[in-house]
Amino acid sequence: MAYTETVDAHDHHDHPPAGIWRWLSTTNHKDIGTLYLVFSGIMFFVGGAMAMVIRLELFKPGMQFVDPAFFNSMTTVHGLAMIFGAVMPAWVGLANWMIPLQVGAPDMALPRMNNFSFWLLPFAFTLLLIGFFVPGGAPAGGWTLYPPLVLQGGDSFPMAIFAIHLMGASSIMGAINVIVTIMNMRAPGITLLRMPLFVWTWLITAYLLILVMPVLAGSVTMLLTDHFFGTSFFSASGGGDPVMFQHIFWFFGHPEVYILILPAFGIVSEVIPTFSRKPLFGYEAMVYATASIAFLSFIVWAHHMFTVGMPLAGELFFMLSTMLIAIPTGVKVFNWTATMWRGSLSFEPPMLFALAFLFLFTIGGFSGLMLAIAPADFQYQDTYFVVAHFHYVLVPGAIFSIMAGVYYWLPKWTGHLYSMALGKWHFWLSAIFVNVLFFPQHFLGLAGMPRRIPDYATQFADWNMVSSLGGFGFGLSQLLFPILIWKCVRGGEKAPAQVWEGAHGLEWEVPSPAPYHTWQDPPSEAQIAHGAEH
Amino acid sequence: MKMKKSGLLLSGLAAALLTMVAPTAQAAWALNMTQGISAISRNIYSLHMMVFWVCVVLAVLVFGVMIYSLVRFRKSQGAVPDTSLVHNTKAEIIWTAIPIAILVVMAVPATRTLIETDDATKTELTIRVTGYQWKWGYEYVGSGVTVLSTLDRDSNFARQLGSGIDPNSVPNYLLNVDHALVVPADTKVRLLISAQDVIHSWWVPALAIKKDAIPGFVNEAWFKIDAANTGLFRGQCAELCGRDHGFMPIVIDVRSKADFEAWLRTQKALQQPADAAAPAAAPATAAPASAANAAATVRAAPARS
Amino acid sequence: MNAGEELRRANRSLTAKLLLCVAGSALFGFALVPLYRVLCEITGIGDQQTLRSAVQVREVAQQGTDMTRTVTVEFMTSLPTVGNWQFRPAQETMAVHPGKLYEAHFIARNLTGHDTVAQAIPNIAPSQAASWFHKTECFCFSPQSFKKGEERVLPVRFFVDRALPGNLDRLTLSYTFYDLSTHVAAR
Ligand code: HEM
Ligand SMILES: [Cu+2]
Ligand SMILES: [Cu+2]
């Protein structure tokens, strides 16, 4: 359905077509948002199941369950599924649902592309997962795909590369859609500096995506031609350089980690003010800090490569630039804290998850700072210390804030309030087990346990067992999440338009559940003012 | 109220789990890295500890303020929001400036250590290190002595899927090799690190050296072990290099200068005739570290034939 | 309707611009390959590619020899496969004075059992030394043909730049010998 039809149609067909066809053909931003979120949830459990296999094998020393090669496939596909399957689609799903509501637009700017970009994903991941059933097994060279190892892959190698191309194309289209929607479709009166922070952080994220996803696509294409067409971009035998792949990969990779976390900053910047009943402290500083993090993310990439043998000047440059990132990150943490200062706090599930984000992401930031110190990184690099670091920023960082977002907006989507008690159970189990799971990995790394190994020396046994128990606990606790969502979709207490007492923004000006079509007529100045005040 | 109860319950549960695990403990619950055996490794250790304590202090301050707010400004306790508090230039300048100062303070010793590690002049011995899938080859440049270092037999039997052998019964499970790299203490040793097939990474925590071994490229690293620190030190490959990446440990056998010289002379005598007779002998195959080639002799000349 | 048309046009044009950005970044991704070399050179990381091209002999004459300084050059060889070649330096090390031209030799023997062509790929450690290590002649400048079972001495003529930083006193010139026939066959 073309955009103009949506705007012009006065016959508001509030009832979408029924059945599967609705989901295949939909161009409605809410439907597509739902599709993305459901897909992300599925991939979260697929990737999670692989994590359970990993933790099971690592429960105690000795090889008990899987072959080392299969273990490597587990870590590789777990990483790819979580990053490209769980976290990124969740962000795009939330963007689809919320950005039009928050900027007062009737839909995303490019509805047909929206449908297409979603439907690429199931194909991409089918292609990736089929890898388990072809000769040579699923990709096992790590999600970082370093050559020459990745070139030793079996038939799944070209499939994985093609899957990455599809995921990349999908994210690029999603990003273009977000930018065009935000730049062109804002309701009159919503100036850039009146946009909610979720919209701001997504705008910056979308630009990052456009700038780096094509670079990833290029680098994996070069892998493909090295493997099949006799080029030697990354092979010394033809005058190429395997380290150059790492440079190009991390030129994409570091901005990519910020793609995973910037929208989280946005969500937390909405949730904390709501449940502190106080506007966000330092709104503009938050916008500038986000922008400077995005900028810095382009000049720090080689901190992932301190051990490849860079000369002194390179190590120094990347050490210092990485340390700089701590400053805007610190500004954000201080602003969130100042938002709670002299507020009036209550602890509903969205706030709980946002608070866990605040504490635990900060721990990940501290370990990031430690990793930035190049000489110390010689000891941390490629150990469980790094595993602990990036899981702290990704699980209680990105994943918890996705959950905060879902708990925040779920009543708006379904029109029902969910069970607060179940939500709190989900929160407490997750928050405790995530620490039991990941905190001991700091100790393991410092004690000398390398990452990506299926078996380990006996002195690492104790903390690995604790970590595995935490892992099983965390995995099981996540089952509460779909149960709660399912129950909330099916029924429950009727949600009012303004679900949370202290919530700001235009999304609370439309009824709950949000009708199939919203903001056909742009919000009035009064609604904008009301939304802004709350 | 209800929430607090469930929180308590859960932390109790976690604590119970922890105590359940504790009795099975066999080795120390190691928490931190060691100081290592060289001046550089001690430098890096103190750098690590300095940054760690800076983080701890910052964490106490930041988390302190957060927890204070959580307790003090609760709606249930009748807190009234001060909605005018949205901006405070002075505070914002302070919390930007102080971190910058802290970063500068950390950057100075880090830079100094980095410069120190970079200074590879006046080395007295060069050893070539070559990574293979999945073992390490060493060559003492100048004397032609070579060592091929594979996972030891016992570990290798025990680590097979479903071997039924308890890893706890294997001394230094997965951290032992058939032939260790013998190095002299109190000597500035230069390593030339490379690989034959894929990227590996040579890591010995006690030396604080981790350097990638890249096919077609040569990386340089150096160490000077304190005269007093002779003995065995262990490490592992630190870059995913395929199926048996977890099974190519590194052991260095640090000996006094005199002992090392004697060892090298013996090895030279042992290896020379073999070399003369068959210069192309003993190829280093790229087969997985099986029990058979775990028993291979030190004569293998990894990169020569 | 008009407003709708206008918006549609605006959306299209912004989309087109963003697609251009995407194309630009894709190009940039590939441009990183040559850029990487340029960057290596500028930043002093050392462009190993320069080891594969010759400098003119007269540059040596211009530099003059620095007899006060001695630098050790080590020679090292690697083979990516086992058993089908022999390849070793004729001398393990050389003590050289910056600015003076030297010749070193490597010995290669074809054990593949057929006539073949091989290409040596040079590398220097530490990597930044590439900027100060010059060759006037090298067997790695072009592929080398070998008859079945042939053994040959391969020369390299080089000099170390007088501007070599003082914190470098030992350089390692290493060659990896790639058999082009097996290289192609492996594809
Ligand atoms: C204060 C901010 C941060 C700093 C200073 C920092 C620093 C670093 C450094 C130096 C490494 C390389 C460690 C190594 O391999 O030796 C690293 C790894 C990593 N970081 Fe961060 N980081 C920060 C925040 C984040 C955030 C926000 C994310 C993502 C949400 C993130 C995700 C990752 C990931 C995924 C890796 C590991 C990649 C891999 O090797 O597979 N980091 N970080
Ligand atoms: Cu990074
Ligand atoms: Cu390895």
Side-chain angles (χ1 to χ4, degrees):
Chain A
M1 180 192 309
Y3 165 71
T4 39
E5 281 176 64
T6 340
V7 190
D8 295 342
H10 278 283
D11 55 328
H12 290 183
H13 27 76
D14 258 350
H15 297 288
I20 181 83
W21 185 244
R22 161 176 175 190
W23 299 104
L24 287 172
S25 67
T26 183
T27 55
N28 177 286
H29 74 100
K30 300 186 184 80
D31 278 355
I32 293 176
T34 305
L35 285 172
Y36 267 110
L37 288 168
V38 169
F39 179 79
S40 149
I42 293 170
M43 292 315 292
F44 179 61
F45 282 97
V46 170
M50 293 178 191
M52 294 300 106
V53 174
I54 295 169
R55 279 324 317 171
L56 193 65
E57 183 55 60
L58 294 175
F59 184 71
K60 58 179 192 160
M63 299 297 300
Q64 285 91 22
F65 301 102
V66 297
D67 181 82
F70 185 75
F71 182 93
N72 289 343
S73 294
M74 284 285 120
T75 53
T76 303
V77 182
H78 160 77
L80 290 170
M82 285 302 194
I83 290 176
F84 294 104
V87 177
M88 289 173 64
W91 290 137
V92 183
L94 288 169
N96 259 293
W97 249 106
M98 300 317 299
I99 287 179
L101 283 181
Q102 291 189 317
V103 301
D107 200 331
M108 294 293 278
L110 312 160
R112 269 178 302 210
M113 185 156 103
N114 208 4
N115 173 289
F116 184 51
S117 73
F118 170 75
W119 282 108
L120 283 180
L121 286 181
F123 288 100
F125 281 88
T126 310
L127 210 53
L128 181 67
L129 295 174
I130 285 181
F132 280 103
F133 308 102
V134 302
W143 82 276
T144 47
L145 307 167
Y146 284 3
L149 180 63
V150 72
L151 302 177
Q152 293 183 346
D155 293 355
S156 64
F157 165 75
M159 291 159 61
I161 301 292
F162 192 50
I164 289 172
H165 278 141
L166 292 180
M167 297 168 204
S170 164
S171 327
I172 289 171
M173 286 191 270
I176 290 179
N177 217 340
V178 166
I179 295 176
V180 178
T181 305
I182 295 175
M183 299 315 280
N184 288 356
M185 309 269 292
R186 271 174 289 128
I190 306 276
T191 59
L192 283 178
L193 281 176
R194 277 173 95 173
M195 297 194 308
L197 260 165
F198 180 65
V199 180
W200 255 116
T201 52
W202 234 115
L203 181 64
I204 294 171
T205 304
Y207 276 109
L208 284 182
L209 275 167
I210 284 186
L211 292 177
V212 301
M213 287 311 287
V215 175
L216 173 71
S219 66
V220 298
T221 306
M222 287 185 251
L223 285 179
L224 207 61
T225 62
D226 268 12
H227 192 285
F228 291 105
F229 303 110
T231 58
S232 38
F233 290 107
F234 308 127
S235 153
S237 65
D241 183 348
V243 174
M244 182 170 71
F245 176 85
Q246 302 185 17
H247 281 289
I248 300 179
F249 180 86
W250 287 113
F251 181 83
F252 145 82
H254 192 82
E256 168 69 17
V257 308
Y258 281 98
I259 287 166
L260 299 174
I261 204 71
L262 291 185
F265 293 168
I267 299 238
V268 170
S269 301
E270 311 231 340
V271 171
I272 289 184
T274 296
F275 296 94
S276 303
R277 293 165 181 79
K278 216 180 126 227
L280 182 68
F281 187 94
Y283 171 91
E284 287 187 29
M286 287 300 224
V287 173
Y288 298 136
T290 310
S292 42
I293 289 177
F295 169 75
L296 285 173
S297 75
F298 281 103
I299 57 164
V300 300
W301 75 88
H303 65 211
H304 297 270
M305 305 164 53
F306 281 137
T307 62
V308 297
M310 273 183 287
L312 185 60
E315 306 244 319
L316 269 177
F317 174 81
F318 287 108
M319 172 172 87
L320 298 175
S321 60
T322 303
M323 292 170 80
L324 277 185
I325 288 209
I327 293 167
T329 312
V331 165
K332 289 191 157 278
V333 171
F334 298 139
N335 281 354
W336 290 319
T337 310
T339 304
M340 300 193 300
W341 190 259
R342 303 231 297 267
S344 172
L345 278 62
S346 60
F347 303 98
E348 287 83 351
M351 180 64 161
L352 289 174
F353 275 100
L355 287 173
F357 167 94
L358 190 53
F359 280 85
L360 302 179
F361 174 79
T362 305
I363 291 181
F366 284 135
S367 58
L369 189 57
M370 295 176 75
L371 290 162
I373 309 295
D377 184 72
F378 298 158
Q379 293 285 55
Y380 309 140
Q381 219 283 320
D382 259 311
T383 68
Y384 260 82
F385 191 83
V386 172
V387 177
H389 158 72
F390 67 73
H391 281 100
Y392 263 86
V393 284
L394 287 174
V395 181
I399 300 278
F400 275 21
S401 49
I402 291 168
M403 288 173 175
V406 171
Y407 277 116
Y408 189 49
W409 287 310
L410 191 58
K412 176 62 61 191
W413 301 338
T414 64
H416 303 132
L417 297 178
Y418 50 81
S419 157
M420 291 292 152
L422 196 57
K424 284 176 182 176
W425 268 100
H426 176 220
F427 168 74
W428 282 107
L429 289 169
S430 302
I432 289 166
F433 281 126
V434 84
N435 285 293
V436 180
L437 165 57
F438 292 122
F439 208 82
Q441 296 183 356
H442 292 112
F443 307 143
L444 286 170
L446 294 178
M449 179 168 159
R451 70 189 274 211
R452 294 171 165 169
I453 57 174
D455 194 6
Y456 47 81
T458 47
Q459 72 258 38
F460 305 129
D462 310 317
W463 288 124
N464 267 300
M465 191 177 281
V466 174
S467 179
S468 283
L469 288 174
F472 303 146
F474 186 80
L476 284 177
S477 323
Q478 297 323 305
L479 297 175
L480 295 179
F481 193 43
I483 292 175
L484 179 141
I485 293 173
W486 183 244
K487 283 174 60 178
C488 179
V489 170
R490 296 303 296 275
E493 197 185 321
K494 181 98 190 59
Q498 174 84 25
V499 178
W500 311 106
E501 183 190 11
H504 298 244
L506 283 176
E507 71 264 39
W508 310 110
E509 300 296 315
V510 302
S512 302
Y516 199 58
H517 296 290
T518 39
W519 301 132
Q520 305 288 87
D521 303 312
S524 65
E525 188 56 43
Q527 278 174 312
I528 294 174
H530 184 253
E533 278 160 29
H534 89 76
Chain B
M1 196 55 230
K2 203 167 163 200
M3 170 193 96
K4 253 191 256 157
K5 244 205 298 197
S6 55
L8 269 178
L9 199 84
L10 286 170
S11 31
L13 206 74
L17 274 179
L18 280 175
T19 43
M20 263 167 52
V21 176
T24 67
Q26 309 231 332
W29 294 71
L31 299 177
N32 201 359
M33 59 171 85
T34 59
Q35 303 225 7
I37 53 176
S38 69
I40 291 281
S41 74
R42 277 190 300 277
N43 265 349
I44 287 180
Y45 175 82
S46 46
L47 206 53
H48 156 69
M49 290 315 286
M50 177 197 71
V51 192
F52 171 72
W53 285 116
V54 168
C55 289
V56 169
V57 171
L58 289 175
V60 168
L61 292 176
V62 175
F63 292 161
V65 177
M66 287 179 194
I67 291 170
Y68 177 83
S69 322
L70 293 187
V71 175
R72 175 77 178 65
F73 305 117
R74 272 178 297 168
K75 180 166 183 261
S76 57
Q77 302 296 301
V80 180
D82 172 3
T83 50
S84 67
L85 181 61
V86 291
H87 193 57
N88 184 328
T89 313
K90 210 197 268 168
E92 291 176 73
I93 289 176
I94 290 175
W95 70 47
T96 314
I98 291 182
I100 294 180
I102 295 174
L103 289 183
V104 171
V105 170
M106 295 196 306
V108 172
T111 306
R112 206 181 303 129
T113 307
L114 209 51
I115 291 174
E116 222 174 307
T117 56
D118 192 57
D119 177 14
T121 53
K122 304 203 178 69
T123 51
E124 300 155 78
L125 170 70
T126 301
I127 302 176
R128 246 183 101 162
V129 178
T130 310
Y132 303 89
Q133 281 175 319
W134 292 273
K135 59 185 154 247
W136 292 98
Y138 303 105
E139 180 186 347
Y140 296 82
V141 175
S143 65
V145 172
T146 59
V147 173
L148 194 62
S149 190
T150 352
L151 183 68
D152 76 309
R153 281 180 102 87
D154 290 348
S155 293
N156 198 35
F157 283 136
R159 66 106 176 171
Q160 302 301 326
L161 188 58
S163 70
I165 303 171
D166 179 6
N168 292 303
S169 69
V170 180
N172 293 304
Y173 177 61
L174 296 187
L175 291 181
N176 210 7
V177 294
D178 51 356
H179 304 291
L181 171 66
V182 180
V183 295
D186 198 26
T187 307
K188 191 162 178 180
V189 180
R190 176 163 166 266
L191 300 177
L192 292 174
I193 302 170
S194 184
Q196 193 197 42
D197 32 45
V198 299
I199 303 177
H200 305 262
S201 190
W202 196 85
W203 179 33
V204 175
L207 298 174
I209 290 181
K210 184 184 289 142
K211 258 285 151 55
D212 291 359
I214 303 165
F217 289 75
V218 181
N219 260 329
E220 200 182 57
W222 66 269
F223 58 84
K224 183 171 182 179
I225 299 167
D226 311 328
N229 278 323
T230 53
L232 295 175
F233 299 91
R234 297 167 200 279
Q236 281 176 269
C237 176
E239 177 66 51
L240 179 62
C241 56
R243 183 176 182 275
D244 284 350
H245 160 58
F247 309 102
M248 47 183 290
I250 297 154
V251 180
I252 59 168
D253 178 352
V254 186
R255 305 197 184 175
S256 70
K257 264 185 179 173
D259 287 358
F260 172 78
E261 291 303 335
W263 175 86
L264 195 65
R265 240 174 291 125
T266 324
Q267 289 303 314
K268 204 169 168 179
L270 274 175
Q271 293 187 19
Q272 222 71 317
D275 273 1
T285 60
S290 67
N293 64 34
T297 68
V298 290
R299 288 200 196 104
R304 282 299 188 74
S305 49
Chain C
M1 191 69 202
N2 262 342
E5 257 320 304
E6 214 170 278
L7 181 61
R8 216 160 114 171
R9 207 169 304 124
N11 286 353
R12 277 214 192 120
S13 104
L14 183 53
T15 307
K17 281 182 202 141
L18 292 170
L19 283 172
L20 267 180
C21 284
V22 172
S25 351
L27 276 182
F28 179 71
F30 285 97
L32 281 173
V33 175
L35 267 179
Y36 176 65
R37 295 202 178 123
V38 175
L39 272 174
C40 284
E41 202 146 23
I42 296 174
T43 57
I45 288 178
D47 178 7
Q48 303 285 337
Q49 289 297 317
T50 58
L51 294 174
R52 295 186 66 186
S53 50
V55 300
Q56 297 303 311
V57 184
R58 69 184 135 77
E59 284 187 32
V60 196
Q62 279 163 4
Q63 284 215 339
T65 307
D66 179 356
M67 298 301 287
T68 60
R69 187 168 170 203
T70 309
V71 176
T72 307
V73 179
E74 288 180 345
F75 302 96
M76 189 172 135
T77 57
S78 308
L79 289 165
T81 49
V82 165
N84 50 7
W85 281 89
Q86 251 181 58
F87 181 47
R88 61 189 169 86
Q91 63 292 302
E92 292 224 290
T93 63
M94 270 169 103
V96 307
H97 297 300
K100 190 171 168 196
L101 196 61
Y102 293 86
E103 181 164 316
H105 295 100
F106 289 76
I107 301 161
R109 185 160 164 214
N110 172 11
L111 301 175
T112 57
H114 50 84
D115 297 358
T116 185
V117 178
Q119 170 72 55
I121 301 287
N123 186 249
I124 199 156
S127 58
Q128 66 268 31
S131 312
W132 297 284
F133 191 91
H134 309 301
K135 298 178 184 170
T136 59
E137 221 180 285
C138 181
F139 59 95
C140 70
F141 292 167
S142 56
Q144 302 287 321
S145 302
F146 277 77
K147 294 253 172 304
K148 176 179 171 180
E150 181 183 351
E151 176 173 293
R152 266 223 311 280
V153 175
L154 304 165
V156 48
R157 310 193 86 209
F158 66 90
F159 68 100
V160 172
D161 205 298
R162 290 191 61 156
L164 182 77
N167 63 351
L168 299 179
D169 64 1
R170 188 176 276 268
L171 313 177
T172 303
L173 178 64
S174 121
Y175 288 96
T176 312
F177 216 55
Y178 292 96
D179 188 314
L180 296 183
S181 61
T182 53
H183 182 68
V184 173
R187 303 254 165 232

